[in-house]
Amino acid sequence: MAAYRCSSPVWLFILCSFSVFIIAGSEETPVAQEQHANVPDNPQTAAETAEQTEKETGGAEERRWEGTEVRDAATQKQAEPVVLQSTPRPKDDFQEELVVRPLHSGDIYASFQFRTLWETDFMRGNKVSHYRLFPKSLGQVISKFSVRELHISFTQGYWRTMQWGQPYLPSPPGAELWVWFQDSVTDVDATWKELTNVLSGIFCASLNFIDSTNTVQPSASFKPLGIGNVTDHRFLRYATLPREIVCTENLTPWKKLLPCGSKAGLAVLLKSEKLFHSSFHSQAVHIRPVCQDWQCKTTSWELRQTLNVVFDLHNSGQGKREWSLFKMFSRTLTEACPLASSSKIYIDITDNPEGEHFELSPATSLLSQAMVLGDRRTFSVYDLTQQDTFGSVRSLNLLIRWKSTEGDMLRPLLHAERYVAGYGLQTGEIHTLMYNNHPYRSFPVLLLDSVPWYLRLYIHTLTVTSKGKDNKPSYIHYQPSKDRVRPHLLEMLVQLPPNSVTEVTVQFERALLKWTEYTPDPNHGFYVGSSVISSLVPSTVAMDTNSTQERPLFSSFFPCKEESSYFVRVYTEPLLVNLPTPDFSMPYNVICLTCTVVAVGYGSLYNLLTRSFQIEEPSPGLAKRIANVIRKMRGVPPL
Amino acid sequence: MATTEVERRRGQLAALSIAAVVIIVGVPLWWRTTETYRAWLPVSQIKELAKLQLQLSADVEVVFARGTVTPEQQKKVPLTQTQEEEHAIDEDTALRYRYETRYRTATIMEEDALNQPTAAEADLSLHTLSESPCGSLVVYVIPVSSSLLPEDVNVYIGQRRTALLRIGPQMRVGKTLEQLLAHLEPRIKQVLQVMSFSHTDITAALSDRVRFSPDNKESIADSMRAFKSSPGYEITFSLLNPDPKSHQLHWDIEGAVETYIQPLLTKLSPVANFSIDSQTLYYAMLGVNPRFDASRSAYTLNADSLAHVINPVEARLGSNAASSNPVLNFLLYVPDAHHSPLYIQGRKKQEVPSNAFHSPRWGGIMVYNVNGFYGSKTDFPVDININMAKVMGVFLAQLRLLLGVQSSTPPPGFLVAPCGSTGLADWELDRLMWSRSVENIATATTTITSLAQLLDQIGNIVINDNIAQQVSSAVTSLQLAVAELEAGNLGFALQYSKEAILASEKAFFDPSLLHLLYFPDDQKFAIYIPLFLPMCVPILLSLLKIVSEARQRRRDRKAKND
């Protein structure tokens, strides 16, 4: 039974955050108008940013910035009628993008995003079956299973938030799948089961292992990211497979979904032997409905394929601190995908405004600024659709050479850890630590924990402490498990005090499984999926999911309203828990032993019952018997 | 001495009673607890189905127009004749064709219709007069002098279920009705062969049940071309653009499907469900490098190499995620700018005029050359609008072939009306439905009998109630389908045969059948021996001892009596 405690504070909180959005929205200055400003990065609030930009306008450098949205829109408008005369305007659009961020640890973070927008209407029930850029297999899945939103990610390795900062798109180790179904679906569980089987076929992954024992319906943590006001979590399913191993067989079908495949554009860099020789690899597919324009008159489907890699070049490179596209991917770029309306490479040079830390070649004069994760970042932009990007050699090989090694990273404001404590194989304790590194602001976080049924949580032992004091969650949604049917689901809204560690502990008992329920390697342990910490509930307002704004793709996935509060999702480590493991030859041994005991008991009883005991005359001695045999042979009567 | 005898007696009784308990209680208990659940199957009915006796009944109405029968002949009509034909295909399968021919004279309205200037108009107005049911035929016998048909044409086959038959010139008025009917009979049969089922079609449809000796390659290729009967088909149109840098292709597939394909599929909807989709694949290459032919300054693909063309493309076509019906692929390949124009060369080194080919039970490929669009100045990319009428003409012809419509050419003297806007004449649909129902029945009986055989052979398989239910429903639908075929209700027969095939496949492929399939005997013995051996050996030994003692005593008694 779901226990709703203190649900009214939640609504209060949501209401409050809305009002904050509205106030902040009116103060916000559009990014595009600040073309002349060069803003150093620091953790700032909206007010501070505004101040600083005002201060620095005087000493602003003259640099050429990326074409503004206004001008682009104007040129598009001029071009459009001409196009319309010859051919119908295509109803779909494809963009590709690569962001490279040198990390402070010396690693390189490369994030690919491919976005296909398709102006169509699945919602209204008319069957769409003609595909151009949108992959047919996914389109069929969406229309057959009445999917509103689909998010699937495959990750190998764990994102080290403390060393690397926040990723553009977080994902837990293993496979994660969450789907919002349309409210026309009557039997959500059956549809979900069928959908996971079909997806496991499409992505060559073992998603078919998703069943009711690892599926939950979060009430607050996973809100729809596209348009639509459905917040009834009966239509949401969330499942993770922390054990899933990601490899080339998952990458190949993922690449097949791209219109250019791996033949042209940025996707030529996706060579599996390099991509999987990395510290972190995550590939994802996100499908959601978005608005085509400000008024949201027309809707379209957005398919985002993302691939994030962290290369450990510093440690494996031969003493030299430099990297290039060729070194990372064993390929250079020669062309953009001809079907892409935009094809860009962004290099994060925020920490290197004067070129003091590293040197980038070939140099570009095109710069862009974007708000990413509450931070204003500056990027060098390489537009692959422009022929002069490739230079005279007709190939682009970006090169970064480090000059100095110092430089410190801002500690991420929010990060989390988790571990299992305790000894023995009977009980244990799960500890989840959430760090708020903000010096003076406290903020609420939503913690989602989905624990398999074979760890029996003692929910009365749940404690939340920060700074040594009890921290009472303002909202708890707990759904107890049922053995072999469903997992535990624990969702809490916790306020994290500034500059503090909040610890959530809960004790559990390890269940004894049936012998067929153990995995083939039971002594390896059993995985428990990551906890999900979402630090702001995303609103479902349609305004921010429109796509007319010319923003870089990586900055526009999660809807965010103001600069001071942005949406972050943090995944903790998955847990590996040992369960009491029997000796698997035991059933046969038990059968043999019991059979033997029964047989011995039965045998003696049988003897007692059937044998008649009588005194037997002593048998003749051995010598006498031999003598008798000899006498018999001689034909003489025996003794 | 007496006490030991009593003691021995008691021991024997104890041993006997223990053996009795083991046999009466132990063995049934063991049997019951280790038994696999096997629901009841209609085995006897399945055995009956294994011996298939199919009867196909067709109703033919022969209408004599004015001037073909004399008044005294006219008095004898209407009359009904029944003809039967029997073929034994193999020891288990037999076919019987039953034609019920009714002869009558034309009504006044029909006479009016037959006086139309052209055969096509006559056909249309005859159709509006009366609609003949599915699977039946109406043959109008018209006089020699009729101007409806051209000189060299004796039979006109309309778009519906009617045919016009010109009476032979030697049949002057004055012969008896019997002679007239004898003259007409072979010709009506010929019409039937074309418009309804023919023996070759039906035997080809039975290929699932009956293994034919391959007599000639041509007929095998013909029978292999069409897709197997299935309750549904997925039709996928793919536009292959290997060179998106040079060509920006636009095809109005939605409009083309609506105008060309959908009418045909609507007409075919009693036979199967169809779903259509389309996709565009970029950078999709053919598996063969075309050869440059300097004499024509064009690239050519040989007929021999066509077999290798599809493989690399097929990996990207993708299977339908949403259903498991067979997929018909139609690919439109636009060769890249460097390999253009591209022509397909037939076996005799001549160009294939349609520049297309099809692969049996897979689909069709058409090569669409666009170098005509390049113009004088070649600034790539070139915007190209594909002429869908041309493409769909080819695909429609291939679709008809792959679905098994129209497989025989009409005999000389026959004129077949062009198949109108729907792309399919009524009688063609009937033909397809005949062979599809027979094929479905053949497939379903094979599936059910082999399932029954399998379940009979392997005793370890659990038969759940739902499987038994599927099997029974398949058997019932099969019996109904056979009965409806016998009665000549083609529509119902096809419907039941589809239900039968669905139920039988569902039963055959049910995953629960596999659960206990692997439970080998050696493992069973390994578990039973530790218990059964120590228990059974003393019982058997004491029983043997008792028996031998009893025999000994009897022998003693006999010796004493003697």
Side-chain angles (χ1 to χ4, degrees):
Chain A
M1 272 305 295
Y4 288 94
R5 260 194 257 162
C6 319
S7 62
S8 54
V10 181
W11 290 112
L12 219 98
F13 162 71
I14 292 169
L15 272 176
C16 287
S17 48
F18 266 123
S19 57
V20 169
F21 289 159
I22 293 157
I23 295 158
S26 59
E27 287 173 0
E28 197 179 357
T29 45
V31 180
Q33 284 172 17
E34 300 176 348
Q35 293 174 9
H36 42 81
N38 182 19
V39 184
D41 78 293
N42 55 7
Q44 72 278 75
T45 57
E48 280 175 331
T49 326
E51 264 175 41
Q52 288 199 340
T53 44
E54 272 168 28
K55 273 183 211 160
E56 292 191 11
T57 39
E61 292 172 70
E62 277 300 314
R63 281 194 186 181
R64 197 164 71 80
W65 292 85
E66 200 184 352
T68 64
E69 68 223 68
V70 184
R71 204 173 60 214
D72 273 5
T75 48
Q76 267 174 14
K77 267 177 202 155
Q78 282 164 8
E80 249 176 25
V82 185
V83 173
L84 269 172
Q85 280 164 8
S86 57
T87 51
R89 192 172 60 87
K91 288 195 144 196
D92 41 12
D93 174 64
F94 175 68
Q95 286 170 278
E96 53 178 10
E97 182 181 287
L98 163 65
V99 193
V100 178
R101 190 164 92 191
L103 298 172
H104 287 274
S105 57
D107 302 326
I108 294 287
Y109 174 34
S111 170
F112 291 86
Q113 290 221 14
F114 302 91
R115 184 170 79 157
T116 311
L117 270 178
W118 186 22
E119 192 184 317
T120 182
D121 214 354
F122 274 119
M123 307 277 197
R124 309 270 148 76
N126 50 345
K127 204 167 167 292
V128 183
S129 48
H130 302 287
Y131 303 90
R132 203 178 79 96
L133 295 177
F134 203 86
K136 184 174 79 120
S137 52
L138 287 182
Q140 281 173 336
V141 167
I142 294 175
S143 54
K144 181 176 182 200
F145 299 106
S146 304
V147 172
R148 177 180 287 275
E149 254 183 49
L150 184 145
H151 303 269
I152 182 165
S153 75
F154 300 98
T155 307
Q156 187 73 34
Y158 177 68
W159 182 271
R160 290 165 180 83
T161 313
M162 282 312 278
Q163 287 173 39
W164 296 341
Q166 293 288 354
Y168 295 126
L169 272 172
S171 55
E176 182 199 41
L177 174 67
W178 57 285
V179 175
W180 275 94
F181 290 98
Q182 297 194 15
D183 42 15
S184 55
V185 179
T186 46
D187 190 354
V188 181
D189 285 315
T191 319
W192 166 251
K193 182 76 202 146
E194 216 175 319
L195 173 71
T196 51
N197 279 306
V198 168
L199 286 177
S200 93
I202 290 179
F203 291 104
C204 276
S206 23
L207 296 173
N208 50 327
F209 283 101
I210 292 177
D211 53 12
S212 68
T213 60
N214 48 22
T215 303
V216 290
Q217 303 173 34
S219 65
S221 291
F222 288 90
K223 289 289 159 203
L225 295 174
I227 49 170
N229 293 323
V230 182
T231 48
D232 186 351
H233 64 268
R234 279 184 301 135
F235 298 107
L236 170 66
R237 292 292 180 278
Y238 173 85
T240 53
L241 293 174
R243 211 191 152 102
E244 180 73 12
I245 288 172
V246 186
C247 204
T248 40
E249 77 267 20
N250 306 111
L251 183 68
T252 313
W254 184 89
K255 279 199 290 194
K256 240 162 62 172
L257 300 175
L258 295 170
C260 279
S262 50
K263 298 271 174 52
L266 291 172
V268 297
L269 300 178
L270 304 174
K271 301 283 282 181
S272 54
E273 67 264 35
K274 284 286 181 183
L275 287 184
F276 290 101
H277 190 76
S278 57
S279 315
F280 176 82
H281 171 96
S282 168
Q283 61 188 66
V285 169
H286 302 273
I287 302 175
R288 58 174 179 169
V290 294
C291 279
Q292 197 69 295
D293 45 26
W294 276 110
Q295 287 91 35
C296 205
K297 275 185 199 146
T298 50
T299 56
S300 53
W301 283 94
E302 184 197 67
L303 164 70
R304 260 178 211 253
Q305 289 179 255
T306 65
L307 189 138
N308 296 301
V309 206
V310 174
F311 288 105
D312 191 359
L313 286 180
H314 176 42
N315 293 341
S316 65
Q318 295 76 41
K320 266 193 280 179
R321 291 201 68 186
E322 66 170 44
W323 67 261
S324 63
L325 283 185
F326 188 76
K327 239 176 146 176
M328 284 200 293
F329 302 105
S330 72
R331 281 294 183 93
T332 58
L333 287 169
T334 55
E335 58 173 352
C337 171
L339 306 163
S341 62
S342 112
S343 174
K344 286 176 181 147
I345 298 183
Y346 293 84
I347 312 278
D348 192 336
I349 53 161
T350 317
D351 306 335
N352 186 36
E354 307 297 326
E356 64 266 32
H357 288 314
F358 53 80
E359 183 187 340
L360 187 62
S361 75
T364 177
S365 48
L366 208 59
L367 292 181
S368 164
Q369 235 182 20
M371 286 297 307
V372 191
L373 301 166
D375 197 1
R376 189 175 297 276
R377 313 289 297 186
T378 315
F379 298 92
S380 290
V381 183
Y382 294 85
D383 191 350
L384 299 186
T385 50
Q386 303 299 317
Q387 209 40 251
D388 52 344
T389 312
F390 299 102
S392 55
V393 286
R394 301 217 155 256
S395 109
L396 176 67
N397 184 20
L398 284 175
L399 188 97
I400 287 188
R401 200 174 280 114
W402 263 267
K403 288 176 180 164
S404 62
T405 49
E406 65 253 28
D408 47 66
M409 191 187 64
L410 277 169
R411 278 173 49 180
L413 292 186
L414 172 70
H415 82 106
E417 298 170 352
R418 193 152 74 132
Y419 58 88
V420 172
Y423 53 87
L425 287 175
Q426 200 187 352
T427 57
E429 196 170 34
I430 298 179
H431 289 249
T432 310
L433 303 175
M434 295 181 282
Y435 294 83
N436 176 3
N437 291 331
H438 200 285
Y440 52 83
R441 272 187 70 170
S442 72
F443 53 84
V445 296
L446 257 171
L447 172 73
L448 171 101
D449 243 330
S450 162
V451 181
W453 63 267
Y454 40 77
L455 301 188
R456 298 198 170 113
L457 291 188
Y458 294 152
I459 201 67
H460 68 276
T461 61
L462 177 74
T463 55
V464 184
T465 48
S466 7
K467 292 183 172 171
K469 273 183 290 183
D470 197 27
N471 184 348
K472 198 169 176 302
S474 50
Y475 166 72
I476 292 186
H477 171 68
Y478 175 66
Q479 192 182 32
S481 72
K482 272 187 197 155
D483 277 8
R484 297 175 181 88
V485 175
R486 68 170 189 216
H488 302 268
L489 169 68
L490 176 63
E491 276 187 290
M492 286 189 293
L493 185 67
V494 185
Q495 186 80 18
L496 301 187
N499 207 4
S500 70
V501 186
T502 305
E503 186 173 19
V504 179
T505 60
V506 63
Q507 287 178 8
F508 64 88
E509 186 191 63
R510 296 165 212 244
L512 195 60
L513 303 184
K514 289 182 181 161
W515 71 293
T516 48
E517 287 169 345
Y518 285 95
T519 50
D521 54 344
N523 289 309
H524 177 77
F526 288 75
Y527 283 92
V528 179
S530 309
S531 301
V532 187
I533 294 158
S534 324
S535 76
L536 201 83
V537 186
S539 61
T540 55
V541 186
M543 281 191 296
D544 228 45
T545 46
N546 80 81
S547 58
T548 47
Q549 249 182 322
E550 286 265 324
R551 282 196 292 177
L553 295 184
F554 58 85
S555 68
S556 60
F557 191 63
F558 292 113
C560 97
K561 278 292 143 76
E562 49 155 350
E563 295 184 1
S564 64
S565 82
Y566 55 94
F567 184 82
V568 170
R569 190 166 281 156
V570 176
Y571 291 93
T572 64
E573 302 93 333
L575 298 177
L576 187 55
V577 181
N578 268 315
L579 291 188
T581 311
D583 169 15
F584 288 101
S585 64
M586 205 168 65
Y588 182 66
N589 296 348
V590 168
I591 288 174
C592 283
L593 184 71
T594 41
C595 287
T596 314
V597 168
V598 167
V600 166
Y602 160 83
S604 39
L605 189 72
Y606 187 84
N607 272 342
L608 275 175
L609 286 175
T610 57
R611 287 278 159 89
S612 52
F613 295 95
Q614 53 193 346
I615 297 156
E616 204 179 63
E617 285 167 31
S619 60
L622 184 67
K624 198 174 178 181
R625 262 190 284 172
I626 292 169
N628 274 344
V629 169
I630 295 166
R631 287 173 78 99
K632 203 177 174 184
M633 280 163 75
R634 287 172 54 206
V636 186
L639 285 170
Chain B
M1 196 59 205
T3 49
T4 51
E5 188 53 40
V6 167
E7 193 73 354
R8 262 166 49 81
R9 191 94 200 116
R10 191 194 55 75
Q12 280 180 357
L13 277 176
L16 276 176
S17 58
I18 285 175
V21 165
V22 165
I23 289 163
I24 292 165
V25 180
V27 172
L29 188 74
W30 165 72
W31 189 258
R32 293 287 300 176
T33 46
T34 57
E35 195 183 38
T36 49
Y37 180 75
R38 289 168 78 85
W40 179 82
L41 292 181
V43 180
S44 60
Q45 293 176 27
I46 293 172
K47 283 216 178 95
E48 274 169 35
L49 283 172
K51 264 192 128 45
L52 192 63
Q53 168 79 43
L54 271 182
Q55 178 176 322
L56 278 70
S57 307
D59 289 346
V60 190
E61 208 172 355
V62 179
V63 182
F64 292 105
R66 197 181 301 140
T68 51
V69 280
T70 54
E72 68 262 26
Q73 287 173 339
Q74 209 171 342
K75 272 179 212 155
K76 291 181 187 165
V77 291
L79 65 98
T80 309
Q81 279 188 348
T82 311
Q83 287 170 347
E84 289 199 2
E85 223 179 284
E86 255 189 270
H87 298 270
I89 307 295
D90 66 354
E91 61 264 28
D92 284 339
T93 316
L95 282 173
R96 188 192 296 158
Y97 306 126
R98 185 163 174 276
Y99 304 105
E100 204 171 289
T101 322
R102 281 186 294 129
Y103 297 94
R104 65 176 174 86
T105 51
T107 61
I108 299 162
M109 279 153 81
E110 284 171 331
E111 287 292 346
D112 283 348
L114 286 171
N115 284 334
Q116 302 271 352
T118 63
E121 282 172 46
D123 179 40
L124 181 66
S125 40
L126 285 173
H127 170 70
T128 47
L129 282 179
S130 68
E131 193 151 349
S132 44
C134 200
S136 67
L137 283 181
V138 188
V139 181
Y140 291 92
V141 182
I142 54 173
V144 187
S145 54
S146 172
S147 59
L148 279 176
L149 303 181
E151 273 307 300
D152 53 335
V153 174
N154 287 322
V155 178
Y156 174 84
I157 292 173
Q159 283 185 23
R160 283 93 195 177
R161 299 187 176 94
T162 50
L164 303 179
L165 178 76
R166 193 209 296 267
I167 199 163
Q170 74 275 23
M171 273 291 124
R172 295 264 183 270
V173 181
K175 299 227 173 176
T176 60
L177 185 64
E178 281 69 39
Q179 279 173 314
L180 179 69
L181 295 187
H183 162 72
L184 282 177
E185 194 186 304
R187 307 187 54 197
I188 287 174
K189 195 161 229 177
Q190 226 177 357
V191 174
L192 273 171
Q193 297 272 331
V194 175
M195 293 182 69
S196 189
F197 47 87
S198 67
H199 185 59
T200 43
D201 280 0
I202 299 300
T203 43
L206 284 172
S207 63
D208 240 23
R209 257 184 90 85
V210 186
R211 195 169 295 273
F212 292 109
S213 53
D215 31 347
N216 59 344
K217 267 192 174 168
E218 201 65 21
S219 69
I220 291 180
D222 274 348
S223 67
M224 292 280 283
R225 183 181 301 127
F227 268 83
K228 301 240 74 169
S229 179
S230 153
Y233 297 96
E234 314 284 328
I235 300 175
T236 304
F237 295 98
S238 306
L239 171 64
L240 306 187
N241 184 0
D243 193 6
K245 262 208 289 196
S246 327
H247 302 145
Q248 279 190 352
L249 304 175
H250 307 279
W251 67 339
D252 177 26
I253 184 70
E254 255 166 285
V257 162
E258 210 45 55
T259 19
Y260 301 104
I261 306 290
Q262 201 56 55
L264 173 70
L265 299 186
T266 321
K267 191 112 195 218
L268 279 171
S269 56
V271 180
N273 303 321
F274 294 91
S275 77
I276 305 177
D277 43 36
S278 79
Q279 60 180 341
T280 310
L281 296 178
Y282 300 93
Y283 292 102
M285 304 285 184
L286 296 187
V288 180
N289 273 332
R291 202 172 299 148
F292 187 67
D293 187 348
S295 63
R296 272 181 288 178
S297 69
Y299 289 84
T300 54
L301 273 178
N302 270 329
D304 304 323
S305 60
L306 291 182
H308 311 288
V309 160
I310 301 166
N311 289 357
V313 182
E314 187 156 31
R316 292 203 46 201
L317 290 177
S319 53
N320 194 322
S323 85
S324 50
N325 288 330
V327 184
L328 284 85
N329 292 293
F330 293 99
L331 311 185
L332 182 67
Y333 180 76
V334 178
D336 51 321
H338 304 294
H339 291 101
S340 186
L342 176 68
Y343 295 107
I344 296 173
Q345 232 176 29
R347 297 219 180 267
K348 294 182 188 109
K349 292 281 168 199
Q350 87 287 14
E351 253 174 45
V352 177
S354 62
N355 219 4
F357 66 98
H358 66 265
S359 170
R361 295 188 184 175
W362 186 84
I365 297 187
M366 180 181 178
V367 177
Y368 189 90
N369 287 313
V370 295
N371 48 319
F373 290 87
Y374 289 168
S376 51
K377 54 170 180 58
T378 49
D379 52 336
F380 293 113
V382 189
D383 266 322
I384 294 156
N385 268 317
I386 289 170
N387 177 8
M388 291 312 281
K390 186 177 153 196
V391 174
M392 281 298 154
V394 174
F395 283 166
L396 202 59
Q398 288 177 338
L399 181 64
R400 281 168 58 98
L401 278 177
L402 291 167
L403 289 177
V405 187
Q406 186 202 43
S407 43
S408 63
T409 48
F414 275 58
L415 179 71
V416 178
C419 51
S421 60
T422 54
L424 191 72
D426 284 358
W427 58 269
E428 282 180 307
L429 180 65
D430 283 0
R431 234 184 120 93
L432 190 65
M433 282 166 76
W434 282 116
S435 60
R436 281 292 143 101
S437 351
V438 172
E439 192 183 337
N440 285 348
I441 291 173
T443 315
T445 47
T446 335
T447 314
I448 282 293
T449 41
S450 53
L451 175 66
Q453 216 175 348
L454 180 83
L455 293 179
D456 192 42
Q457 274 173 6
I458 306 175
N460 270 331
I461 297 181
V462 176
I463 307 174
N464 286 329
D465 283 336
N466 65 326
I467 290 173
Q469 201 193 331
Q470 294 285 0
V471 170
S472 326
S473 79
V475 168
T476 332
S477 322
L478 266 176
Q479 286 166 339
L480 281 170
V482 172
E484 294 290 351
L485 264 190
E486 234 162 83
N489 299 334
L490 184 51
F492 287 115
L494 183 67
Q495 186 57 39
Y496 287 126
S497 72
K498 276 204 285 190
E499 280 165 22
I501 212 165
L502 275 179
S504 64
E505 300 274 304
K506 216 170 180 182
F508 194 86
F509 291 109
D510 198 285
S512 73
L513 286 182
L514 284 175
H515 279 175
L516 266 185
L517 195 58
Y518 185 71
F519 201 72
D521 285 339
D522 50 343
Q523 286 192 12
K524 252 189 246 173
F525 282 119
I527 289 172
Y528 289 149
I529 279 180
L531 182 64
F532 280 11
L533 206 61
M535 282 180 89
C536 291
V537 166
I539 293 178
L540 282 178
L541 284 181
S542 52
L543 282 181
L544 281 177
K545 204 174 160 199
I546 289 169
V547 168
S548 67
E549 265 176 27
R551 203 179 286 158
Q552 180 72 40
R553 215 177 301 144
R554 205 182 302 150
R555 211 177 292 146
D556 287 353
R557 214 176 295 148
K558 211 183 252 178
K560 220 178 268 175
N561 286 355
D562 287 349

